[in-house]
Amino acid sequence: MNYLGGRIQINPRPVQKAANLFEVAALGHCPGAANVAALSDMDEAVEQIKRLGFGNRLELKISDGLDLFHIPVPIRSAEEFHLLFPEAKTSSSEYRSNLAGDNAWLPFIVDDYFTNGGDVLWIIQVPEDNSVDDFLPKFDAPLYDVDNLYGLGVALVLNQVGLVLMPDLERLQIPTNLPDIPEKRLDNPTPQFIPCSQRSDEPDGERRSSSEIPNNVDTADFLEVIQRLLGYSNKHRPDLQFLLSVPLDYEETSQSPSINAETLERLDTVRQRSDGYLLRQIQFVFPYVKSEQVALRTSAGGLAGLIASSVSTRGPWRSVANKKIIYEGKLYPKVSTQQSIQYRNTPGIGVLKSFRNQISLDDERLCVPALHRNDYNHLLIQSFDELRSGEVTRFMSYLVRTLKALGESLIFAADYRDPRPQLLLEKYFRNLYQLGALRGQTIEDAFSITRASSQEATIAFDIQIAPAFPIDKIELTLLNRRGLWVAEVANG
């Protein structure tokens, strides 16, 4: 921000807060040159990047000063993002479509995220050269091999991150020549002279020239992309959640864009397979957002900001359904009440709704129950319908991260007779009970912690908790195997 004719320049840099165990990462495109010099002045952000092992990669980027590809950058305001990527919102990207135009979606979802109360947002800029392949790891590199991590692999290193957005991956799923909702013709037009060379059956409004219409480009298979994404994330970070929009298609009946019916059918098939439990990591949302000033974009940014704000103030076990979400545009395309119920039930899509000009999420719906793979039975999927909730997955994932962090704080407590681990666990779950995450008339009803039969070089605790509705019961295990603390979660 500039004042007094540019003589005073203010760089937005909010006060750094202590890291929490629910942060959000966003992977996307940032066209135009990056202001790498501005990042080099952000001492605490640079220190965080170096602690993650990306110091060498960052030094190379600072030397060329053009981009920040595959480097996790923590930002705490939309102004900070636009300072780092001043051209991203207005520069053209390589992919272009009728509905979404040629602007990247990442800059817009950053605005939506912070408008709705989001705090820390990790930005991971990815190149556009290889379409969706740039978002996914090039090969199955272990997370400690930082020099060979790309795209999603970079996000998995961020231990505090619990939610991942990939807005421009969604943008690449918008068909290039998918038409907009046709404009309505005015009744009883004013009589006027029309030359013989002009067609009289054209709709009102400006026609696009052939040079403005993008060439038709086939989109990547959405389910194949999902399979690659989940295969890697489930192996290394099964605690992560993803927010993704369901792709669009053209519906002949309504003669307008609509949800891709084939994708819904295939999702319903996948969720009923034995490996369908993998879908628990994805919270699908629909529809998109569009305004007269801004082309089509995903609604995931505003929803993620609301979730992040709710986690920090109300806890990860509470749903954000029916809470107001602020967007610049309106929901697009329109979804009827009947369609909303249908998408929510089968296969399980979270549908945004608009009532009295207020946008909110109908339900934090999942395609599958938030069950561990050993507990998942695709033949009884309807029996666990109450566990098909985004907040259930969010809470279970939060428990895994917090218990892991607690175990790491006890790294030197390797004596099985040491009472401190159990005392800290009791304090931790007592605090959850007081915050309303656990139910029961007494603490004894809310949780129990018992020491498991110890093996050589192993300290183990079996933990049973009674979370607030809709979860019934969760069984946790905290292990110390040869000095390494590990948390495991399974539904009971």
Side-chain angles (χ1 to χ4, degrees):
M1 293 179 285
N2 295 314
Y3 296 92
L4 297 179
R7 287 176 290 170
I8 298 177
Q9 181 173 347
I10 298 177
N11 292 335
R13 194 168 303 157
V15 175
Q16 302 285 333
K17 296 182 180 180
N20 56 59
L21 288 172
F22 189 88
E23 295 176 353
V24 181
L27 292 79
H29 298 149
C30 299
N35 184 7
V36 182
L39 178 59
S40 61
D41 292 335
M42 299 164 58
D43 298 335
E44 294 188 37
V46 170
E47 184 62 29
Q48 284 182 278
I49 295 171
K50 290 182 177 180
R51 282 201 301 267
L52 291 169
F54 292 90
N56 293 335
R57 191 177 292 183
L58 179 61
E59 291 299 326
L60 293 175
K61 296 299 180 182
I62 290 177
S63 63
D64 63 41
L66 296 177
D67 61 69
L68 291 168
F69 291 151
H70 305 299
I71 295 178
V73 181
I75 63 171
R76 286 174 168 79
S77 71
E79 291 78 13
E80 202 167 62
F81 172 85
H82 296 300
L83 175 68
L84 293 174
F85 303 99
E87 303 174 6
K89 201 170 187 178
T90 55
S91 297
S92 298
S93 64
E94 295 182 9
Y95 187 80
R96 177 184 180 187
S97 64
N98 279 331
L99 277 178
D102 60 0
N103 290 126
W105 280 2
L106 180 59
F108 295 98
I109 70 104
V110 169
D111 292 342
D112 290 341
Y113 176 80
F114 287 106
T115 298
N116 286 278
D119 188 8
V120 178
L121 180 62
W122 288 85
I123 298 296
I124 302 172
Q125 183 189 12
V126 297
E128 302 182 56
D129 302 337
N130 301 306
S131 187
V132 299
D133 289 336
D134 287 318
F135 289 86
L136 303 173
K138 294 183 178 180
F139 52 89
D140 192 6
L143 297 188
Y144 60 78
D145 188 9
V146 175
D147 292 336
N148 288 309
L149 292 179
Y150 301 91
L152 178 62
V154 177
L156 302 190
V157 177
L158 308 173
N159 293 327
Q160 290 80 23
V161 165
L163 188 64
V164 177
L165 311 177
M166 308 176 84
D168 288 295
L169 177 67
E170 300 178 32
R171 182 172 63 91
L172 295 175
Q173 291 293 318
I174 303 296
T176 50
N177 287 332
L178 182 66
D180 199 349
I181 297 176
E183 298 181 24
K184 293 183 179 180
R185 296 191 61 186
L186 298 176
D187 296 330
N188 301 321
T190 304
Q192 57 180 319
F193 173 77
I194 301 178
C196 296
S197 59
Q198 179 177 336
R199 293 176 57 184
S200 60
D201 57 344
E202 296 175 356
D204 297 314
E206 180 184 2
R207 297 191 68 202
R208 303 184 69 182
S209 66
S210 58
S211 61
E212 294 178 307
I213 301 175
N215 295 324
N216 189 43
V217 177
D218 292 334
T219 59
D221 187 282
F222 185 65
L223 269 296
E224 289 184 6
V225 173
I226 295 301
Q227 184 178 15
R228 293 173 59 190
L229 183 152
L230 292 179
Y232 187 72
S233 63
N234 183 72
K235 178 179 180 180
H236 298 284
R237 287 288 304 276
D239 61 295
L240 284 184
Q241 266 187 307
F242 298 87
L243 274 183
L244 290 177
S245 301
V246 183
L248 289 170
D249 196 5
Y250 189 76
E251 188 180 69
E252 293 291 345
T253 305
S254 61
Q255 295 186 345
S256 68
S258 182
I259 197 167
N260 191 304
E262 181 183 357
T263 298
L264 295 183
E265 293 176 1
R266 293 176 65 189
L267 276 176
D268 189 39
T269 301
V270 171
R271 75 190 187 99
Q272 298 181 66
R273 298 189 325 210
S274 58
D275 61 348
Y277 69 90
L278 292 172
L279 290 174
R280 66 185 177 177
Q281 286 192 255
I282 301 183
Q283 197 169 343
F284 292 103
V285 294
F286 192 82
Y288 296 74
V289 176
K290 191 174 182 291
S291 70
E292 296 179 358
Q293 295 77 24
V294 181
L296 185 80
R297 67 171 180 258
T298 177
S299 58
L303 180 56
L306 180 63
I307 290 174
S309 175
S310 176
V311 169
S312 64
T313 57
R314 303 166 63 234
W317 52 87
R318 300 187 188 277
S319 174
V320 297
N322 295 314
K323 300 295 181 181
K324 181 179 179 181
I325 312 175
I326 302 172
Y327 293 107
E328 183 180 350
K330 299 180 180 180
L331 298 180
Y332 179 99
K334 291 184 178 180
V335 179
S336 66
T337 302
Q338 182 179 359
Q339 289 174 322
S340 177
I341 296 173
Q342 176 187 341
Y343 301 157
R344 182 181 62 202
N345 292 335
T346 305
I349 309 295
V351 181
L352 295 169
K353 60 183 180 180
S354 179
F355 181 69
R356 295 180 179 176
N357 294 323
Q358 178 172 310
I359 297 175
S360 61
L361 182 66
D362 177 60
D363 186 14
E364 287 204 62
R365 198 64 162 170
L366 298 179
C367 288
V368 299
L371 295 172
H372 189 272
R373 63 179 180 272
N374 295 335
D375 299 324
Y376 184 79
N377 188 334
H378 61 287
L379 300 176
L380 302 174
I381 189 172
Q382 300 301 329
S383 302
F384 301 95
D385 202 55
E386 70 278 3
L387 295 179
R388 293 170 59 192
S389 300
E391 69 270 20
V392 177
T393 295
R394 194 157 55 240
F395 183 43
M396 292 170 63
S397 300
Y398 180 82
L399 287 175
V400 170
R401 288 193 298 276
T402 51
L403 288 176
K404 180 181 178 181
L406 180 62
E408 290 173 349
S409 69
L410 299 171
I411 192 67
F412 296 109
D415 188 345
Y416 70 93
R417 295 166 298 184
D418 192 337
R420 288 177 297 170
Q422 183 163 350
L423 292 175
L424 287 174
L425 286 172
E426 291 176 353
K427 179 181 179 181
Y428 170 74
F429 285 104
R430 190 180 298 112
N431 183 53
L432 286 179
Y433 174 72
Q434 293 172 347
L435 291 173
L438 308 181
R439 70 175 186 266
Q441 293 185 349
T442 64
I443 290 180
E444 289 74 17
D445 297 331
F447 68 89
S448 67
I449 301 173
T450 57
R451 188 182 294 272
S453 57
S454 59
Q455 302 175 1
E456 183 179 356
T458 300
I459 303 175
F461 293 96
D462 288 333
I463 307 165
Q464 291 189 349
I465 62 176
F469 183 85
I471 315 174
D472 183 28
K473 184 179 68 173
I474 292 179
E475 294 184 1
L476 301 166
T477 302
L478 189 64
L479 299 171
N480 184 314
R481 294 193 182 99
R482 295 176 175 83
L484 179 64
W485 286 91
V486 179
E488 298 177 353
V489 59
N491 294 76

